Amino acid sequence: MKKKFILILCVLLSHWAAAQNIFKAKVINDETKVAMKGATAFIPDLKISAIADTSGLIIINNIPNGRFEIEISYTGFAKSEKVYSFPMQYLNIPTVVSLGPATGELAEVMVQTTRTNQNLRDVPTHIEALPLEELDEKSTMRPGDIKMLLGETTGIHVQQTSAVSGTANFRIQGLDSRYTQLLQDGMPLYAGFAGNLSLVQISPLNLRQVEFIKGSASTLYGGGAIAGLVNLISKVPEKAPELTLLLNGTTAKGADASIYYSQKWKHIGTTIFGAYNYNGAFAPGDGSFTAIPQTNRIAINPKFFLYMDEHNSGWFGVNTTYENRFGGDIQVVDGNADNVHQYFERNKTFRFSTQLSFTHKIDEESRINFKNSVGYFHRDFEEPGFGFKGQQLSSFSEVNYVRNGEKASWVAGANLITDNFTAVPPQNNLNYHQTTLGAFAQNTYKASNWLSMESGLRIDENIPAPVKPSNGLFILPRLNALFKISGHLTSRIGGGLGYKMPTLFNDQSEQEGYQHIQPLNIGNTRAEQSFGLNADLNYRNALGDEAFININQLFFSTRVNQPLILQNNTFINAPGHLLSQGAETNVKLVMDELVFYLGYTYTNTRQYFSGTNSTQPLTPKNQFSFDSTYEIEGSFRFGAESFYTGPQLLSDGTTGKGYITFGLLVQKMWKHLDIFINAENLTNQRQTKWGAIYTGSITNPDFKDVFAPLEGTVVNAGIRIKLLN
């Protein structure tokens, strides 16, 4: 009897052991196909759970035979709930589970600017991102450029640099545009001589995400990222082909036509973007000068992608833009010049750049990346009695190593940046040449569940070197910390050093049209050096089943020593420092199909020169923004927005008036067709309504600072046709 009992027990035990199954799944982001480290799997009936590793792999052991529902979730993404039968047919092949952004929830995004492709909520650096859904809305508001996209972002102020040509630049946290970097796919393409025409020559239709770092970002991106940077991330081909055509017209005599095509095959893929943008000379309210210049622009941007195997991939792209921008006295632009009406500004530009990126994946945790871009930019600027033309040839090359571990992630690499500007006689004394060789390393360490640290160090050598004490060598440390105080409350604190080499190309030179500007003697001019601090609190929580709220409060402070100023047509180092301090408040409330957004920026930028203390011109202290959107996904969208820009000191000592603008958007979507109509500045705020935009005579005008819109109310309408999507 005893032997029979033991035999039965052994049979039962062997049957029980054989019934213990294993579930393997790899969790990826449905849009980016990036592995989702930290995703959670849960079997409700068995009360068993597991967490994905760095490769997105989840393994659950000891599952008995039978059918069980397995829930796979990740914060900000829609949950996967599926029933699996055990034993499974293919035990050693992980099931691929794709998670898409949760509808109505504050969906998380993966960021690339830190180079580690981490989830936004896990990055110690303060980063903001505009995902594809928001870019889709912005592309219907202004398809021809990204001025609106940046200008509506908290903490960023777009400053128009010409009263008649529409050129503009952007400032982060109250600092001039020369302290910011504009990148495309992590590569600097729009610096120097090309800077003030960048915002008006880039279309949002070709972008899938825009990322912002506010505050020092010099560790990874070198000199010039004192105030922060904007990284424009281009679309990549997906398995499903896409062919989109957008046609748009405006009441300000504008017309836009854009086309985007992408497709991915097994080993190759391609994206092709092309656009033609036209604007007739527009001077509202019987104005004497163009608020919007006569513009003809054509852009072509093809890219070729190669997927050799699971370890090697890369892409190569070309960016070509030609533009003829003609502004000034409206009679001159219309061909009716006479002895009185003579003033004009003409900008003819040609941009050609190449981009190359290659990635070798060593294993699931590490990879080597190589990037290169070469850019050529030619600009011919002309006004009565004066002309300035030249070409800029620049290059960027970088190799870096990235390792994403359980506790620590590393980024280390080196890059070479060259910038050469050659002016055409007689202004060839303004020639500029700069070479920068840099090496950097950055570590992100998860010390515990509530604390992550990000530390970095960069060393740059510049040739030619500025005057002592730096002598062209800069050592730039940086430190950031992320505190997860609770499941709903987090905080980031960080700071770092930065620098900016002396250059002629900035907002002041652009406003002067480079006329009478004296050559820059780098050997007798110090580099501008900075120290910046940022601290924020972020609260996010669900309000019931259908509502979510996100509140972010950011504080910032940046000091720039001996900033470059224009004095008697010569750039010199100011005897003192520049200090920019302030705060940003962002509130986002999602209630099912209804979204509310509120933003506030307080900026106090002061100049401490020669023992005096004064406010920096063209820096509004107070800016408010409000945006509300009602959207039925894939069917209908309605949006309303309002912006307040407070009074600001102008260069002539007067104060520019504060103003409020208001806009509306209505969009109807079908499977293959969108129709939209958008109205901007419905309050018809125009600087020319409050006084003349210039002093002197109309023949030889001296233009004032531009601090408010010049074009007034503008309505645009159009269609977007999605033929293959």
Side-chain angles (χ1 to χ4, degrees):
M1 184 69 182
K2 184 178 179 182
K3 291 182 178 179
K4 289 183 178 180
F5 177 79
I6 294 174
L7 181 62
I8 293 171
L9 182 62
C10 289
V11 171
L12 290 173
L13 287 173
S14 63
H15 177 75
W16 176 84
Q20 302 310 299
N21 300 287
I22 298 175
F23 173 75
K24 293 182 180 181
K26 183 168 184 177
V27 187
I28 62 173
N29 186 317
D30 185 55
E31 294 182 354
T32 65
K33 309 305 177 187
V34 174
M36 302 180 72
K37 172 187 173 183
T40 302
F42 178 64
I43 306 178
D45 291 343
L46 303 176
K47 308 299 183 195
I48 301 175
S49 64
I51 298 176
D53 62 16
T54 55
S55 65
L57 183 65
I58 291 177
I59 300 177
I60 303 179
N61 297 304
N62 302 324
I63 302 175
N65 291 337
R67 288 168 56 84
F68 299 96
E69 182 184 73
I70 300 180
E71 301 174 356
I72 298 179
S73 60
Y74 194 88
T75 303
F77 286 77
K79 182 187 296 184
S80 170
E81 298 175 320
K82 189 175 179 180
V83 176
Y84 295 86
S85 297
F86 297 91
M88 301 184 74
Q89 185 175 1
Y90 303 102
L91 296 177
N92 296 320
I93 302 176
T95 301
V96 177
V97 179
S98 299
L99 299 184
T103 302
E105 193 171 338
L106 301 177
E108 293 287 359
V109 294
M110 306 296 288
V111 291
Q112 297 185 15
T113 305
T114 55
R115 304 177 195 249
T116 53
N117 287 332
Q118 291 176 286
N119 196 296
L120 183 62
R121 67 193 302 266
D122 296 325
V123 179
T125 299
H126 179 89
I127 298 181
E128 300 169 25
L130 286 178
L132 184 60
E133 294 78 14
E134 295 188 43
L135 291 175
D136 177 76
E137 179 182 345
K138 300 298 182 186
S139 67
T140 60
M141 292 180 173
R142 192 186 289 252
D145 61 57
I146 60 171
K147 280 174 61 177
M148 177 180 293
L149 185 152
L150 296 184
E152 296 183 357
T153 303
T154 308
I156 296 181
H157 179 62
V158 172
Q159 177 61 47
Q160 189 162 326
T161 54
S162 170
V164 297
S165 294
T167 55
N169 222 316
F170 68 99
R171 302 175 176 182
I172 297 178
Q173 296 182 345
L175 294 175
D176 279 358
S177 63
R178 68 177 181 272
Y179 302 123
T180 64
Q181 282 195 6
L182 181 63
L183 311 174
Q184 185 157 14
D185 300 313
M187 305 182 208
L189 302 180
Y190 306 105
F193 193 42
N196 284 277
L197 283 161
S198 299
L199 301 190
V200 295
Q201 293 184 340
I202 301 173
S203 170
L205 186 65
N206 195 29
L207 305 177
R208 67 182 173 97
Q209 190 158 296
V210 178
E211 298 175 6
F212 309 91
I213 293 183
K214 298 172 184 176
S216 177
S218 295
T219 298
L220 292 180
Y221 293 99
I226 287 174
L229 60 85
V230 176
N231 191 10
L232 308 173
I233 300 172
S234 305
K235 290 180 179 179
V236 296
E238 306 291 349
K239 289 184 179 179
E242 178 182 351
L243 178 59
T244 301
L245 175 66
L246 187 144
L247 301 173
N248 176 69
T250 78
T251 57
K253 302 182 181 180
D256 307 281
S258 305
I259 187 169
Y260 174 80
Y261 169 74
S262 72
Q263 188 163 2
K264 180 180 180 181
W265 295 273
K266 185 175 181 180
H267 292 295
I268 61 173
T270 187
T271 64
I272 301 173
F273 172 75
Y276 173 71
N277 307 99
Y278 167 81
N279 217 106
F282 182 64
D286 298 323
S288 301
F289 293 95
T290 54
I292 301 176
Q294 178 181 295
T295 307
N296 281 280
R297 179 172 68 250
I298 186 169
I300 301 174
N301 181 200
K303 284 186 177 180
F304 175 75
F305 295 77
L306 184 62
Y307 312 98
M308 289 174 278
D309 52 45
E310 62 180 6
H311 293 285
N312 299 286
S313 61
W315 57 267
F316 175 77
V318 174
N319 189 332
T320 303
T321 304
Y322 171 78
E323 181 183 79
N324 188 348
R325 182 174 290 258
F326 187 28
D329 190 314
I330 190 66
Q331 288 193 208
V332 177
V333 178
D334 288 341
N336 300 317
D338 55 29
N339 292 333
V340 175
H341 298 277
Q342 297 182 4
Y343 185 80
F344 68 91
E345 288 183 11
R346 185 186 291 275
N347 281 278
K348 291 183 179 180
T349 59
F350 175 70
R351 185 194 305 273
F352 180 85
S353 62
T354 61
Q355 292 175 279
L356 173 67
S357 177
F358 178 79
T359 298
H360 172 67
K361 185 178 177 181
I362 301 172
D363 52 38
E364 291 296 330
E365 294 185 345
S366 56
R367 63 185 185 273
I368 295 175
N369 306 293
F370 173 75
K371 293 182 177 182
N372 171 264
S373 68
V374 178
Y376 171 81
F377 180 79
H378 177 87
R379 181 179 178 187
D380 185 350
F381 174 77
E382 185 182 2
E383 61 182 27
F386 177 77
F388 181 66
K389 66 173 67 174
Q391 46 265 347
Q392 177 186 4
L393 183 63
S394 58
S395 71
F396 170 82
S397 300
E398 176 181 292
V399 60
N400 64 65
Y401 170 76
V402 178
R403 179 176 178 82
N404 291 318
E406 288 279 357
K407 283 283 188 179
S409 296
W410 283 95
V411 181
N415 51 34
L416 175 67
I417 304 172
T418 65
D419 189 2
N420 297 283
F421 172 74
T422 304
V424 174
Q427 279 81 33
N428 55 338
N429 57 353
L430 298 181
N431 291 352
Y432 172 83
H433 307 281
Q434 188 70 45
T435 300
T436 303
L437 179 63
F440 58 88
Q442 179 170 285
N443 171 258
T444 304
Y445 178 67
K446 186 177 181 180
S448 64
N449 290 333
W450 61 271
L451 175 63
S452 296
M453 305 288 292
E454 191 170 79
S455 57
L457 182 69
R458 182 182 186 91
I459 301 176
D460 272 1
E461 176 68 27
N462 291 270
I463 304 170
V467 73
K468 291 182 179 181
S470 299
N471 270 343
L473 180 67
F474 299 93
I475 301 175
L476 309 172
R478 179 169 169 261
L479 180 64
N480 293 275
L482 167 63
F483 302 91
K484 294 186 177 180
I485 302 169
S486 69
H488 305 296
L489 185 64
T490 61
S491 176
R492 291 175 173 87
I493 300 175
L497 303 184
Y499 77 98
K500 175 63 179 176
M501 289 292 291
T503 176
L504 287 174
F505 306 112
N506 54 46
D507 292 351
Q508 291 173 296
S509 301
E510 195 69 30
Q511 289 169 350
E512 296 294 326
Y514 298 95
Q515 193 168 180
H516 311 302
I517 298 293
Q518 298 301 306
L520 180 67
N521 189 335
I522 293 182
N524 293 322
T525 310
R526 293 176 182 266
E528 303 172 81
Q529 294 182 266
S530 71
F531 175 69
L533 288 172
N534 281 287
D536 81 345
L537 280 170
N538 192 79
Y539 174 80
R540 52 183 293 146
N541 199 5
L543 304 176
D545 295 332
E546 300 293 337
F548 304 87
I549 190 169
N550 195 107
I551 304 173
N552 182 267
Q553 179 63 58
L554 171 69
F555 301 93
F556 61 86
S557 178
T558 304
R559 172 174 170 147
V560 182
N561 293 321
Q562 296 182 307
L564 219 60
I565 60 173
L566 186 62
Q567 190 174 87
N568 298 323
N569 296 320
T570 301
F571 282 101
I572 63 170
N573 291 107
H577 67 274
L578 188 69
L579 182 63
S580 182
Q581 297 177 312
E584 296 177 28
T585 304
N586 291 279
V587 180
K588 187 174 184 179
L589 176 64
V590 181
M591 302 172 63
D592 202 6
E593 289 91 5
L594 192 60
V595 179
F596 295 98
Y597 171 82
L598 177 67
Y600 169 66
T601 305
Y602 171 77
T603 308
N604 185 16
T605 306
R606 305 195 67 82
Q607 300 172 342
Y608 295 86
F609 299 160
S610 301
T612 63
N613 178 351
S614 61
T615 300
Q616 176 174 272
L618 292 172
T619 309
K621 279 193 174 183
N622 298 288
Q623 292 179 285
F624 288 92
S625 61
F626 173 77
D627 185 284
S628 62
T629 304
Y630 175 79
E631 180 174 356
I632 300 174
E633 188 174 359
S635 177
F636 178 77
R637 176 186 293 148
F638 173 80
E641 59 185 13
S642 182
F643 302 91
Y644 168 76
T645 301
Q648 53 191 294
L649 178 69
L650 306 181
S651 301
D652 60 6
T654 61
T655 300
K657 181 180 177 180
Y659 59 92
I660 297 175
T661 61
F662 181 72
L664 291 174
L665 168 68
V666 178
Q667 184 175 354
K668 174 61 181 171
M669 297 92 82
W670 293 273
K671 183 176 181 180
H672 297 291
L673 177 68
D674 296 352
I675 298 177
F676 56 86
I677 181 169
N678 175 66
E680 295 296 327
N681 193 3
L682 287 172
T683 51
N684 197 28
Q685 301 295 293
R686 283 192 288 113
Q687 186 173 332
T688 49
K689 293 171 65 175
W690 309 323
I693 195 67
Y694 68 97
T695 59
S697 67
I698 195 171
T699 306
N700 188 25
D702 185 10
F703 290 101
K704 299 180 180 181
D705 292 333
V706 179
F707 65 88
L710 298 177
E711 63 271 22
T713 302
V714 176
V715 178
N716 70 284
I719 60 172
R720 179 165 47 193
I721 305 171
K722 297 170 285 187
L723 297 176
L724 296 178
N725 198 334

